[in-house]
Amino acid sequence: MTRPARRTALLCALAAAIALLPAAPVQAAEPPSPLRFTSCSGSVPRPAAPERVECGRLSVPLDWHRPSGPRIEVAVSRVRASGTPAERRGILLVNPGGPGGSGLPYAVTKRAKLPESVRRAYDVVGFDPRGVGRSTPVTCGPMGGLFDSPGSDPVPAGARAERAYLASLRALADDCATHADRLLPYLSTEQTAYDMEAIRAALGEPRTSFLGVSYGSYLGAAYTARFPHRVGRMVLDSVVGPGDWYDFDVRQSRALLRQRDTFFAWTAAHAGRFGLGGTPAAVRDSYLRVRRELAARPVAGFGPAEFDRAVYRALGRTERWAGLADGLRGQLTDGDPDGLRPDGAFDSADSRNYEAANRVVKCADGPAPSPRDIVADIRGTRRLDPQPVLTGMEASTCAYWHHRPGRRTPLGSPDAPPVLLVASAHDPVTPIEGARRLQPLLPGSRLVTLDDDYSHGVFASRGDACVDDTVAAYLVRGEVPSRNVRCAGPGLPTAR
């Protein structure tokens, strides 16, 4: 048999096994050649000497159910374990979230924050998920005007505005169909889980250990559903949880209201520092005044859509709150919103790829809402607060998507080894309810909660010794806590 024929036969066997055994062990066929690494491009940062990062590319089927069909490439990075051979525990795949986040540099940036014992034990392996970065990047063109500057007001108030909002969602879906039509069915989380298994096989490792943050937790749970007997040690941080993406987006938008109220109260408690008012109501009035000013008179392309994106980003991490409050004051006192502007341009190539991949993946993963659902939910959220932040409602466009997936993405498995879930008690981006709902789908798993914390991303991120030591003991020594763990959190930040 020729090499191409052997390759096709092996991939056919793998895909057939996957299709027939959706939640059973799958013995993945080894690729005909291992993944070969060379130096990385300049977009991947270098770790501190003497360690080094190396990059490679892996050819995979566009559709794992048709392995002899078209192929795409997945970009992979690796920083080898720094310890002795006796200390090595295998590979630790990492994913930063999204969907749409690039994982190629994450092998370096996240590894630098990991406890030393984890760095000594694991080769940290990053990858750009299909459709992202250097892995067949997807584009959706203008995305229905998403990158217009200033953008239209993203919070529709009244029937006419609601119709315009729905029209923009339809235009976004149409643009994705125009620019990415052949990719739409295949840039799903489940297909990416197959790619993860191919990476494991190409590296010759018996198990995949994994650290997934935010969307990465969803990806890890999907891998567990398909390949439970290939799971080594898995940490799912800031958990999305089971369910449809649209329902998750709605829950997130309402959690952001609670977080914003906490921000208003915190800012009021430091009135002398920020000058936005001495009560939560007064700070809220200052906030709404800034938004009204920018909606009426955008400044150099910075209007209500840009404002809401800045607020969305800042609310997710408490260390950004002081910058948000200072930016609000700058607009109020000087008419200058520069303190609210992000460092990177929203219409950059990387940002355009992120926004496109985010929608394409969400719409490929499961059922879509109806336009009626969208309007009803926006009205319901506006009854809670008439000026919400709807920036994260990306799955709304799935109502007009040109490809409809046949089923939801399977998550979790009773056959997987114990998994560690990690959550911040008041994370508004991935509310803790997601971790609690996923835990029953992963029997034997444990939930590590950072109490009195209000930020997104916990392990090797918040600097909490209780969390970091618990997770490191699990990853390095396989120590599974006897019960769920609660760690004392930092509380709200000190204003400086």
Side-chain angles (χ1 to χ4, degrees), residues 352-377:
R352 285 177 177 271
N353 174 231
Y354 176 91
E355 298 296 337
N358 183 284
R359 274 75 171 181
V360 171
V361 172
K362 284 189 172 185
C363 295
D365 276 356
S370 70
R372 180 176 296 180
D373 292 334
I374 295 168
V375 171
D377 286 325

Side-chain angles (χ1 to χ4, degrees), residues 197-276:
E197 175 63 3
I199 292 170
R200 178 207 63 77
L203 292 173
E205 296 286 343
R207 298 285 184 272
T208 297
S209 290
F210 181 73
L211 167 61
V213 181
S214 195
Y215 164 72
S217 68
Y218 188 88
L219 176 58
Y223 181 85
T224 300
R226 281 296 181 181
F227 304 100
H229 296 281
R230 289 297 189 186
V231 174
R233 294 164 189 171
M234 181 170 287
V235 178
L236 306 182
D237 185 350
S238 303
V239 179
V240 169
D244 300 338
W245 277 114
Y246 174 77
D247 293 338
F248 168 81
D249 289 351
V250 172
R251 289 194 298 272
Q252 182 193 81
S253 70
R254 295 174 182 177
L256 285 167
L257 294 180
R258 297 190 292 272
Q259 184 85 336
R260 193 176 61 180
D261 285 345
T262 303
F263 166 74
F264 290 155
W266 176 82
T267 306
H270 301 90
R273 163 68 176 81
F274 298 115
L276 294 174

Side-chain angles (χ1 to χ4, degrees), residues 151-234:
S152 59
D153 194 319
V155 181
R160 182 176 179 180
E162 289 166 352
R163 288 192 296 271
Y165 182 83
L166 294 177
S168 72
L169 297 177
R170 182 188 292 275
L172 195 162
D174 289 346
D175 283 341
C176 283
T178 298
H179 292 270
D181 182 60
R182 81 176 185 94
L183 296 175
L184 294 184
Y186 309 115
L187 301 187
S188 68
T189 297
E190 193 169 26
Q191 294 276 353
T192 299
Y194 299 157
D195 297 340
M196 288 172 55
E197 175 63 3
I199 292 170
R200 178 207 63 77
L203 292 173
E205 296 286 343
R207 298 285 184 272
T208 297
S209 290
F210 181 73
L211 167 61
V213 181
S214 195
Y215 164 72
S217 68
Y218 188 88
L219 176 58
Y223 181 85
T224 300
R226 281 296 181 181
F227 304 100
H229 296 281
R230 289 297 189 186
V231 174
R233 294 164 189 171
M234 181 170 287

